[in-house]
Coordinates of all heavy atoms in Angstrom, one line a residue:
G980 N -5.4 -28.7 29.5 CA -4.1 -28.3 28.8 C -3.7 -26.9 29.2 O -3.3 -26.1 28.4
G981 N -3.7 -26.6 30.5 CA -3.6 -25.2 31.1 C -2.6 -24.3 30.4 O -2.7 -23.1 30.6
D982 N -1.6 -24.7 29.7 CA -0.6 -23.8 29.1 C -0.8 -23.6 27.6 O 0.1 -23.5 26.8 CB 0.8 -24.3 29.3 CG 1.3 -24.0 30.7 OD1 0.6 -23.2 31.4 OD2 2.3 -24.6 31.1
R983 N -2.1 -23.5 27.2 CA -2.3 -23.2 25.8 C -1.9 -21.8 25.4 O -2.1 -20.9 26.2 CB -3.8 -23.4 25.5 CG -4.4 -24.7 25.8 CD -4.6 -25.7 24.7 NE -4.9 -25.1 23.4 CZ -6.1 -25.2 22.9 NH1 -7.1 -25.8 23.4 NH2 -6.3 -24.6 21.7
Y984 N -1.3 -21.6 24.3 CA -0.7 -20.3 23.9 C -1.9 -19.3 23.7 O -2.9 -19.6 23.1 CB 0.1 -20.4 22.7 CG 1.4 -21.2 22.9 CD1 1.7 -22.3 22.2 CD2 2.3 -20.7 23.8 CE1 2.8 -23.0 22.4 CE2 3.5 -21.4 24.0 CZ 3.7 -22.6 23.3 OH 4.9 -23.2 23.5
R988 N -4.8 -16.6 32.1 CA -5.2 -17.2 33.4 C -4.8 -16.2 34.5 O -4.1 -15.3 34.3 CB -4.6 -18.6 33.6 CG -3.1 -18.6 33.7 CD -2.5 -20.0 33.8 NE -1.1 -19.9 34.1 CZ -0.1 -19.8 33.2 NH1 -0.4 -19.8 31.9 NH2 1.2 -19.8 33.5
E990 N -3.2 -15.8 38.5 CA -2.5 -16.4 39.6 C -2.3 -15.4 40.7 O -2.2 -14.2 40.4 CB -1.1 -16.9 39.0 CG -1.1 -18.0 38.0 CD 0.2 -18.5 37.7 OE1 1.2 -18.3 38.4 OE2 0.3 -19.1 36.6
V999 N -1.8 -13.8 33.6 CA -0.6 -14.5 33.0 C -1.1 -15.0 31.6 O -2.1 -15.7 31.5 CB -0.1 -15.6 33.9 CG1 1.1 -16.3 33.2 CG2 0.3 -15.1 35.2
R1000 N -0.3 -14.7 30.6 CA -0.6 -15.2 29.2 C 0.6 -15.8 28.6 O 1.7 -15.2 28.6 CB -1.1 -14.0 28.3 CG -1.5 -14.5 26.9 CD -2.0 -13.4 26.1 NE -3.2 -12.8 26.7 CZ -3.7 -11.6 26.5 NH1 -3.0 -10.8 25.8 NH2 -4.8 -11.2 27.1
T1001 N 0.5 -17.0 28.1 CA 1.6 -17.7 27.5 C 1.7 -17.3 26.0 O 0.7 -17.2 25.3 CB 1.4 -19.2 27.5 OG1 1.1 -19.6 28.9 CG2 2.6 -20.0 27.1
I1002 N 3.0 -16.9 25.6 CA 3.2 -16.5 24.3 C 4.0 -17.5 23.5 O 5.1 -18.0 24.0 CB 4.0 -15.1 24.3 CG1 3.3 -14.1 25.1 CG2 4.3 -14.6 22.9 CD1 2.0 -13.7 24.6
C1013 N 13.9 -10.4 30.8 CA 13.2 -11.2 31.9 C 13.5 -10.6 33.2 O 14.7 -10.5 33.6 CB 13.6 -12.6 31.8 SG 12.8 -13.6 33.1
P1014 N 12.5 -10.2 34.0 CA 12.8 -9.6 35.4 C 13.3 -10.6 36.4 O 13.8 -10.3 37.4 CB 11.5 -9.0 35.8 CG 10.4 -9.7 35.0 CD 11.1 -10.1 33.7
G1015 N 13.1 -11.9 36.1 CA 13.5 -13.0 37.0 C 14.9 -13.3 37.0 O 15.6 -13.4 38.0
C1016 N 15.5 -13.3 35.8 CA 16.9 -13.7 35.6 C 17.7 -12.5 35.0 O 19.0 -12.6 34.9 CB 17.1 -14.9 34.8 SG 16.6 -14.7 33.1
I1020 N 15.3 -12.1 26.4 CA 14.4 -13.1 25.7 C 14.4 -12.7 24.2 O 13.8 -11.7 23.9 CB 13.0 -13.1 26.3 CG1 13.0 -13.3 27.8 CG2 12.1 -14.1 25.6 CD1 11.6 -13.2 28.4
V1024 N 11.4 -17.0 20.9 CA 11.4 -17.9 22.1 C 10.1 -17.8 22.8 O 9.6 -16.8 23.2 CB 12.6 -17.5 23.0 CG1 12.6 -18.3 24.3 CG2 13.9 -17.6 22.3
P1025 N 9.5 -19.0 23.1 CA 8.2 -19.0 23.9 C 8.5 -18.5 25.3 O 9.5 -18.8 25.9 CB 7.8 -20.4 23.9 CG 8.6 -21.1 22.9 CD 9.8 -20.3 22.6
H1026 N 7.6 -17.7 25.8 CA 7.7 -17.2 27.2 C 6.3 -16.8 27.6 O 5.3 -17.2 27.0 CB 8.6 -15.9 27.2 CG 8.2 -14.8 26.3 ND1 8.4 -14.8 25.0 CD2 7.6 -13.7 26.6 CE1 7.9 -13.6 24.5 NE2 7.4 -13.0 25.5
L1027 N 6.2 -16.1 28.7 CA 4.9 -15.6 29.2 C 4.9 -14.2 29.6 O 6.0 -13.6 29.9 CB 4.3 -16.5 30.3 CG 5.1 -16.8 31.6 CD1 4.9 -15.7 32.6 CD2 4.8 -18.1 32.1
V1028 N 3.8 -13.6 29.6 CA 3.6 -12.2 30.0 C 2.7 -12.1 31.2 O 1.7 -12.8 31.3 CB 2.9 -11.4 28.8 CG1 2.8 -9.9 29.2 CG2 3.7 -11.5 27.5
A1029 N 3.1 -11.4 32.2 CA 2.4 -11.2 33.5 C 2.2 -9.8 33.8 O 3.1 -9.0 33.6 CB 3.1 -12.0 34.6
R1041 N 5.1 -7.5 32.1 CA 6.5 -8.0 32.1 C 6.5 -9.3 31.4 O 5.7 -10.2 31.6 CB 7.0 -8.2 33.6 CG 7.0 -6.8 34.3 CD 8.1 -6.0 33.8 NE 8.1 -4.6 34.4 CZ 7.7 -3.5 33.8 NH1 7.2 -3.6 32.6 NH2 7.7 -2.4 34.4
H1042 N 7.6 -9.5 30.6 CA 7.8 -10.7 29.9 C 8.8 -11.6 30.6 O 9.9 -11.1 30.9 CB 8.3 -10.4 28.5 CG 7.3 -9.7 27.6 ND1 6.6 -10.3 26.6 CD2 6.8 -8.4 27.7 CE1 5.8 -9.4 26.1 NE2 5.9 -8.3 26.7
W1043 N 8.4 -12.8 31.0 CA 9.2 -13.7 31.8 C 9.5 -15.0 31.0 O 8.7 -15.5 30.2 CB 8.4 -14.2 33.0 CG 8.1 -13.1 34.0 CD1 7.2 -12.1 33.9 CD2 8.7 -13.0 35.4 NE1 7.2 -11.3 35.1 CE2 8.1 -11.9 36.0 CE3 9.6 -13.8 36.1 CZ2 8.4 -11.5 37.3 CZ3 9.9 -13.4 37.3 CH2 9.3 -12.3 37.9
H1044 N 10.7 -15.6 31.3 CA 10.9 -17.0 30.9 C 9.9 -17.8 31.8 O 9.6 -17.5 32.9 CB 12.3 -17.5 31.2 CG 13.4 -16.8 30.4 ND1 14.2 -15.9 30.9 CD2 13.7 -17.0 29.1 CE1 15.0 -15.5 30.0 NE2 14.7 -16.1 28.9
K1045 N 9.4 -18.9 31.2 CA 8.5 -19.7 32.0 C 9.1 -20.3 33.3 O 8.5 -20.3 34.3 CB 7.9 -20.9 31.1 CG 6.9 -21.7 31.8 CD 6.3 -22.7 30.9 CE 5.2 -23.5 31.6 NZ 4.6 -24.5 30.8
A1046 N 10.3 -20.7 33.2 CA 11.0 -21.3 34.4 C 11.3 -20.2 35.4 O 11.2 -20.4 36.6 CB 12.4 -21.9 34.0
C1047 N 11.5 -19.0 35.0 CA 11.7 -17.8 35.9 C 10.5 -17.5 36.6 O 10.4 -17.2 37.8 CB 12.3 -16.6 35.2 SG 13.9 -16.9 34.5
W1048 N 9.3 -17.5 35.9 CA 8.0 -17.2 36.5 C 7.7 -18.3 37.5 O 7.2 -18.0 38.6 CB 6.9 -17.1 35.4 CG 5.6 -16.9 36.0 CD1 4.6 -17.8 36.2 CD2 5.1 -15.7 36.6 NE1 3.5 -17.3 36.7 CE2 3.7 -16.0 37.0 CE3 5.6 -14.4 36.7 CZ2 2.9 -15.0 37.6 CZ3 4.7 -13.5 37.3 CH2 3.5 -13.8 37.7
N1049 N 8.0 -19.5 37.2 CA 7.7 -20.6 38.2 C 8.6 -20.5 39.4 O 8.2 -21.0 40.5 CB 7.9 -22.0 37.5 CG 6.8 -22.2 36.5 OD1 5.7 -21.6 36.5 ND2 7.1 -23.1 35.5
A1050 N 9.8 -20.0 39.3 CA 10.7 -19.8 40.4 C 10.8 -18.4 41.0 O 11.7 -18.1 41.6 CB 12.1 -20.3 40.0
R1051 N 9.7 -17.6 40.7 CA 9.8 -16.2 41.1 C 9.9 -15.9 42.6 O 10.5 -14.9 43.0 CB 8.6 -15.5 40.5 CG 7.3 -15.9 41.1 CD 6.1 -15.4 40.3 NE 4.8 -15.9 40.7 CZ 4.3 -17.0 40.4 NH1 4.9 -17.7 39.5 NH2 3.1 -17.4 40.8
D1052 N 9.5 -16.8 43.4 CA 9.6 -16.7 44.9 C 11.0 -17.0 45.3 O 11.4 -16.5 46.4 CB 8.6 -17.5 45.6 CG 7.2 -17.0 45.4 OD1 7.0 -15.8 45.2 OD2 6.2 -17.9 45.3
R1053 N 11.8 -17.7 44.6 CA 13.1 -18.1 45.0 C 14.2 -17.2 44.4 O 15.3 -17.3 44.6 CB 13.4 -19.5 44.6 CG 12.5 -20.6 45.2 CD 12.9 -22.0 44.9 NE 13.0 -22.2 43.4 CZ 12.0 -22.8 42.8 NH1 10.9 -23.1 43.4 NH2 12.1 -23.1 41.5
R1054 N 13.7 -16.3 43.5 CA 14.7 -15.4 42.8 C 14.7 -14.0 43.4 O 13.6 -13.5 43.8 CB 14.4 -15.3 41.3 CG 14.6 -16.7 40.6 CD 14.3 -16.5 39.2 NE 14.5 -17.7 38.5 CZ 15.6 -18.1 37.8 NH1 16.6 -17.3 37.8 NH2 15.7 -19.2 37.2

Side-chain angles (χ1 to χ4, degrees):
D982 280 348
R983 302 259 327 251
Y984 292 119
R988 65 184 186 275
E990 294 186 20
V999 179
R1000 183 178 297 156
T1001 306
I1002 305 295
C1013 175
C1016 65
I1020 303 173
V1024 173
H1026 61 280
L1027 55 88
V1028 181
R1041 296 291 174 256
H1042 295 254
W1043 293 71
H1044 293 107
K1045 185 174 179 182
C1047 295
W1048 176 257
N1049 291 338
R1051 63 192 177 274
D1052 292 328
R1053 298 185 303 264
R1054 293 182 181 265

